[in-house]
Every structure is written in structure tokens, then in C-alpha cells.
Amino acid sequence: MTEPDLAALAEGVRAAAEARARHRRLGVQLDAAGALVESRRGELAELQQRLRIEQSDVRRLEKLSPTKIWATLRGDAADRLVIERAEADAAGLAVAGAQARLDSSLADTTRLRGERDGLHGADGEYGAALAAYEVALRATGGRDAAELTTIADQLGVAAARRREIAEAVDALRAAKAALDEALQRLDSAGGWSTYDTFFGGGFVADMIKHSNLSEATDGFTEVNRALERLSTELADLGGSTVDGVEISDTLAVFDVLFDNILSDWMVMDRISEARASAERLDDRLTQLAEHLATVAAETSTRIGTLLAQREAILTAV
């Protein structure tokens, strides 16, 4: 058995070990994604129940009922109906958002399951590669067979870990980019909210403010999706999940209904809270980026050390 033949067999063990490690890590990711799906299902069910309640309130005010009779006697039936309809619309939007989040989680689960299923024979292929390598080493009478086998296995695991780190880094960059975009939209909404509160605003300013609030809400929805992907990527690296940042879907609705100084102050307060949460999240993502960079460097150093050991043994063989 020549040195190139041994090297080729060792490379086969390394590749098979990497595939096996990837298969197992995908299993961990799939478990995390499955848990997220169940959480999203529960969230959707809760919001659907809330929507049914809001729609029931609207129906009670639309038809003759004790609720409508009492509202009529109080003289605020029309106002109550407008409010209940707005709350029902807001609940409907919340349900749509929850459904979109569930669909996204289900798509991630399907993707992970497909990739894992594509590696379903990884354990068997690893065993076969290892057996062929051991037979070849025994045929040469090499005394370093056990050490080479261990190195090949460790190289495969390290290579798989480096790939997982790279995927986590990509997910982290996407989350940072989404957060930066959402913060820009939030700042724009905050500027118009300040103008509306202290300088009277007007119809045009009010429309622009609510448009920016809607865009900021959409922006933070993208942030949450990016964080869900990042959380999945971190599941097999020992990382903790990263909390999302949420803005109430009903905020713009209530400000339209109650367009006075109190509602404007509420908008400004919500924007301030969202910005503070986003800044805290940005700090956490920065710290995570530093941690991943350290882990990536350590893994690369580990791979370099193993390759040097392997080369030294194979050269000696």
C-alpha cells in the first residue's frame, strides 16, 4: 500500500466523519426547529381565540343585544362599534402575522429534515470508510494505525464544526443587517411622531408617521425571523437563543382612533422602548459575533494541528 493510497483512504475517513457529524448536528437543529414550530402553533391558537372574541364583540354591537342596548342608552354605540371593529381588525392582523411566522418555521423544519435525510447513510458510510482504512493500515504493518484513525475522525468533526460556525456567522450577519434596517425605520417613525406631538402635525404628517410605524413593524418582523434562524444555527454550538423585539401590531390602530396628545405620547413611549430593546439586542449580537470569531479561530487552529500530525505520520509511513 503506497502513501498516496493511504492518504486517499484517510481523506475518505475524514469526509465520512464530517458527513456523520453534520447529520447528527442537523438532528439537533431539527429538534430546535420543531420546538419553535410548536411554540408558533400555540401562539397562533391563542391569537385566533382572541380574534374570535373580538369578532364576537363586533357582532354583539351590530345586532340587537344587551350590549348594543346598553351602548345606545349611554349614547356611544357608534364609537363603541368603531373601536370594536378596529380591535377586531388588529387581532386579524396579529393572526396573519402569527400564521406567517408559523409558515416560516415549518419551511425551516422541512429544509432541515430534507438535508438530514440526504445524509441518512452517513453512519454506515463512515463505518465502511473506517474499515477500509484500517484494513489498508494493517496490510502495511504500520504501528500508527490507531493514531491516524483518531486524527481522521477528529478532523471530520472539526471540519463539520467549522461549517456550522460559518453558517451561524452568516445568520448573525443577516440578523444584524435586519436590525440596522429596522432601527432606521424606527428612527424615521420617531422623528415624525415627535413632529406630530409637539408641532401639531396634520393629516400629511399623521399619514407619514403611521406609514413609518408600519414599516418599522415589518422591519422588526424580519429581525425576529432572522433571530429564529440564528437560534437554530446556534442550537448545536452551545449558544443560547436570542430574544426578538416586538412592536404591538395594534399601535397604529389605536393612535388613529384616539388622535390626541395622550395617544401621541403613547406612540413616542413605545418607540423609545423599542429602540432601547433593539440597542440591547445589538449589543448581544456584537458579543455573539466576537464569541463566534474566537470559536472559529480555535477550530481552525485545531484543524491545522491535526493536519500537521496526520502529515507527519503519513510521511513517516
Side-chain angles (χ1 to χ4, degrees):
M1 181 69 65
T2 65
E3 180 182 327
D5 292 334
L6 284 174
L9 288 170
E11 173 60 22
V13 172
R14 187 210 62 77
E18 179 177 354
R20 184 181 67 162
R22 176 65 176 167
H23 180 263
R24 292 178 177 177
R25 287 192 168 114
L26 283 169
V28 174
Q29 290 184 335
L30 190 57
D31 289 341
L36 181 59
V37 165
E38 291 308 309
S39 174
R40 293 303 186 208
R41 289 189 195 279
E43 175 190 33
L44 177 60
E46 180 179 343
L47 290 173
Q48 286 174 331
Q49 176 61 23
R50 186 180 304 171
L51 174 59
R52 286 191 289 269
I53 293 173
E54 297 293 351
Q55 290 173 334
S56 177
D57 290 341
V58 171
R59 287 193 297 270
R60 281 198 298 270
L61 281 170
E62 287 177 337
K63 65 182 181 180
L64 185 62
S65 66
T67 302
K68 183 174 182 179
I69 293 172
W70 176 244
T72 301
L73 291 174
R74 288 169 49 189
D76 63 353
D79 292 340
R80 287 284 304 281
L81 183 57
V82 170
I83 294 170
E84 293 295 346
R85 283 174 175 167
E87 291 178 348
D89 289 343
L93 289 173
V95 167
Q99 183 64 62
R101 290 190 289 273
L102 174 58
D103 292 343
S104 177
S105 297
L106 287 170
D108 284 342
T109 301
T110 299
R111 175 183 58 81
L112 289 169
R113 182 175 290 108
E115 189 174 352
R116 189 192 64 172
D117 291 347
L119 295 171
H120 71 279
D123 284 339
E125 292 171 2
Y126 173 75
L130 199 62
Y133 188 41
E134 289 176 343
V135 168
L137 284 173
R138 290 193 184 97
T140 64
R143 64 180 183 275
D144 298 311
E147 187 174 356
L148 281 171
T149 300
T150 299
I151 290 174
D153 182 59
Q154 292 175 349
L155 274 172
V157 172
R161 180 171 177 79
R162 181 167 60 182
R163 176 180 175 182
E164 299 296 336
I165 294 170
E167 292 176 350
V169 169
D170 286 342
L172 176 61
R173 288 172 179 165
K176 286 275 284 184
L179 182 60
D180 289 342
E181 177 67 21
L183 276 170
Q184 290 180 7
R185 297 177 181 180
L186 190 66
D187 285 342
S188 182
W192 281 101
S193 180
T194 300
Y195 177 75
D196 197 24
T197 301
F198 295 104
F199 301 101
F203 178 75
V204 174
D206 196 52
M207 291 296 292
I208 295 175
K209 178 184 67 175
H210 290 300
S211 175
N212 286 329
L213 282 172
S214 179
E215 291 180 359
T217 302
D218 292 341
F220 279 101
T221 296
E222 293 303 316
V223 171
N224 281 327
R225 289 178 179 174
L227 291 176
E228 288 175 359
R229 177 193 167 200
L230 175 59
S231 179
T232 300
E233 297 294 348
L234 292 174
D236 59 337
L237 291 177
S240 60
T241 58
V242 184
D243 294 332
V245 178
E246 296 180 359
I247 297 180
S248 172
D249 291 335
T250 64
L251 180 58
V253 174
F254 282 112
D255 193 36
V256 169
L257 286 173
F258 307 109
D259 195 8
N260 52 44
I261 190 66
L262 179 61
S263 62
D264 288 334
W265 277 108
M266 182 187 73
V267 171
M268 291 180 62
D269 186 57
R270 294 285 183 87
I271 290 175
S272 178
E273 291 177 358
R275 166 159 274 287
S277 297
E279 289 175 348
R280 288 193 297 271
L281 173 62
D282 188 64
D283 289 340
R284 293 181 64 188
L285 292 179
T286 298
Q287 293 172 4
L288 179 59
E290 294 172 354
H291 171 70
L292 289 177
T294 299
V295 174
E298 293 173 348
T299 302
S300 294
T301 300
R302 173 63 175 163
I303 290 174
T305 300
L306 291 169
L307 287 173
Q309 294 174 354
R310 176 175 173 265
E311 182 179 358
I313 293 174
L314 287 174
T315 300
V317 172

